[in-house]
Every structure is written in C-alpha cells, then in structure tokens.
Amino acid sequence: GSLWRPAAVALVSMPLLVGALLLSGVSAARPGELILVACALDITCAAIHEALFALCGHRWGTLVSLCLLALQVLMLSPWGGGYAHGGALASLASAVPLPAADLVMRSAIAGDASASAGGTLVFFVLIVVVSLVVAVGAVGRHRRVTLDNLRAA
C-alpha cells in the first residue's frame, strides 16, 4: 500500500468538502483550518489502515481497521458515553484521531479557540510516522528469507 492515493483523495475532496459546507448552509469561521484538519484526518486514517493491513494481513487488517473506525464513530455518538466529559471511552479518545479531529472541526466552525489545530496536526503526524514505521517493519518481517525457507523450496 501507499499513502499517495489517500493523499490525492484528500486533495481532490477539499472542493467537495467546501461545496458540501456551502450547500448545507454551514458557515465555518475558519474554513481553511476545517479543510486542513479534514484532509489530515483522511491521510492519518489511511496510514493506520496501511499499518494494520501490513501487520495483520488483508483479512484481519481490514477487520481490525473497520472495528477501530466503528469504535471512533461510537465515541462521537450519543451512546459513546460522552468521551469529552470523562466518559467510559475518554482515555481511549485521546489516542485515536477521529475525536481529536471532531473537537478541532467543531471549534473551526464555531470560531472559538477551544481546540488547537496545531496540536491536532502534530498528533496526526506522529500517528502517520508510527504507522509507517509499523508498516515498514511488518513488511520487512514478512519478506525475510531464512535458510529453512530456502531449503524447503
């Protein structure tokens, strides 16, 4: 896998996001910040998926990735226990990207300074770097050739 496709999708989706905001009547106080965080979230989620895919294989990597996405969506739902207010998922919410993006995007729309895009973007960069290290390590582990493998061939 590669992060080039998700990065291209993120860049192409910027005008779509702006169009969706305009059509829905949402007026963001800081639209540039909103779009930047949305695109960074897209790339971050793709990096996590690629790492899980490389680490766990196609079937299990996809399943774990979907479960992680579902858990993050649950955190944002009314049934998530109010992660932002110390609910059951509050400690996990600080380790996954979607709740962080949610707070910054709400802040960018409302125009308040309750969440920092800079801190969230640094968090996303750290996740991408760790994900790439995990993916490269997992691919390297799978490609290792041992003498036993050569003898069996």
Side-chain angles (χ1 to χ4, degrees):
S2 169
L3 291 180
W4 290 112
R5 270 189 242 146
V9 169
L11 292 174
V12 169
S13 66
M14 279 194 284
L16 297 175
L17 178 61
V18 171
L21 289 172
L22 292 174
L23 287 175
S24 65
V26 172
S27 166
R30 297 186 307 266
E33 186 176 308
L34 178 69
I35 293 167
L36 180 64
V37 170
C39 292
L41 175 66
D42 185 30
I43 293 168
T44 303
C45 289
I48 292 169
H49 176 74
E50 290 294 325
L52 290 170
F53 189 82
L55 192 62
C56 303
H58 178 71
R59 179 178 293 151
W60 286 106
T62 301
L63 180 65
V64 172
S65 184
L66 287 173
C67 289
L68 181 61
L69 178 62
L71 179 65
Q72 292 180 78
V73 170
L74 175 67
M75 287 179 197
L76 299 179
S77 75
W79 305 282
Y83 76 90
H85 305 291
L89 299 174
S91 60
L92 183 59
S94 63
V96 291
L98 196 54
D102 174 57
L103 291 174
V104 173
M105 292 170 89
R106 287 176 189 258
S107 177
I109 289 171
D112 62 23
S114 62
S116 163
T120 300
L121 293 173
V122 168
F123 175 57
F124 287 175
V125 168
L126 288 173
I127 291 174
V128 169
V129 168
V130 169
S131 297
L132 291 175
V133 168
V134 167
V136 168
V139 168
R141 186 188 73 211
H142 291 301
R143 290 188 177 173
R144 228 177 258 147
V145 177
T146 65
L147 288 175
D148 292 334
N149 292 346
L150 291 174
R151 287 183 190 136

